[in-house]
Amino acid sequence: MRLLASLLAILLVVLAAGFWTNHSLQQSTKDLSRQIERVSQEIKQEQWEAAHKQNRQLERTWQEKARWWPIILDHQEIDNIEFSLAKIKEYVASHDLPLALGQLSELKLMIEHIPRKEAVNLENIL
């Protein structure tokens, strides 16, 4: 009986950790997506100095919100996001509207893909 109770407790902890991780990924993704939208809006209005400030804020948000992501995610995805952030920084600095918007769109898709891929649901478990 003790063994069964211990196994049940471990199972509950693992499930709770999975759901907490899923929730945290979704929340971080929403925050990052909102920041990407802010950068995009400034670029579309060709407010390059404001876009540069928003991009710095996006980088800070990435550092704050995603510092624990490497624990649960493939490092290749993290690297791709960081490469994308570096490209965006240069595109904004050179005032390249099409490339900056295209790279921001790609970054947003990469970030929004992560919670769907890592979600705790039957489709991902089975």
Side-chain angles (χ1 to χ4, degrees):
M1 190 64 175
R2 273 179 113 173
L3 179 63
L4 184 60
S6 297
L7 290 175
L8 184 60
I10 291 170
L11 178 64
L12 289 175
V13 167
V14 169
L15 286 174
F19 284 110
W20 176 82
T21 300
N22 189 35
H23 172 74
S24 296
L25 274 174
Q26 287 177 346
Q27 192 60 44
S28 296
T29 297
K30 285 179 187 176
D31 294 343
L32 288 164
S33 292
R34 276 193 295 265
Q35 191 62 42
I36 291 168
E37 284 300 318
R38 289 184 192 120
V39 176
S40 294
Q41 289 303 318
E42 297 296 347
I43 291 172
K44 288 175 186 173
Q45 296 171 5
E46 297 191 38
Q47 300 294 322
W48 294 105
E49 188 59 37
H52 183 67
K53 288 178 184 176
Q54 289 294 333
N55 192 52
R56 281 197 313 255
Q57 181 59 40
L58 172 61
E59 290 173 351
R60 281 192 294 272
T61 303
W62 167 252
Q63 293 300 321
E64 292 169 10
K65 301 288 182 182
R67 74 173 159 242
W68 59 272
W69 285 17
I71 296 169
I72 59 169
L73 296 178
D74 179 20
H75 289 276
Q76 184 65 42
E77 289 179 321
I78 302 295
D79 290 344
N80 289 341
I81 290 170
E82 290 179 351
F83 294 151
S84 187
L85 285 167
K87 288 178 187 177
I88 291 166
K89 184 177 182 178
E90 291 304 315
Y91 294 151
V92 170
S94 64
H95 300 187
D96 194 328
L97 188 136
L99 289 177
L101 289 176
Q103 196 64 48
L104 280 165
S105 178
E106 182 179 338
L107 176 63
K108 188 174 180 182
L109 284 173
M110 282 190 285
I111 288 174
E112 289 177 349
H113 168 74
I114 290 171
R116 287 191 303 263
K117 186 181 117 210
E118 300 296 327
V120 177
N121 58 38
L122 289 178
E123 186 177 308
N124 289 347
I125 293 172
L126 301 175

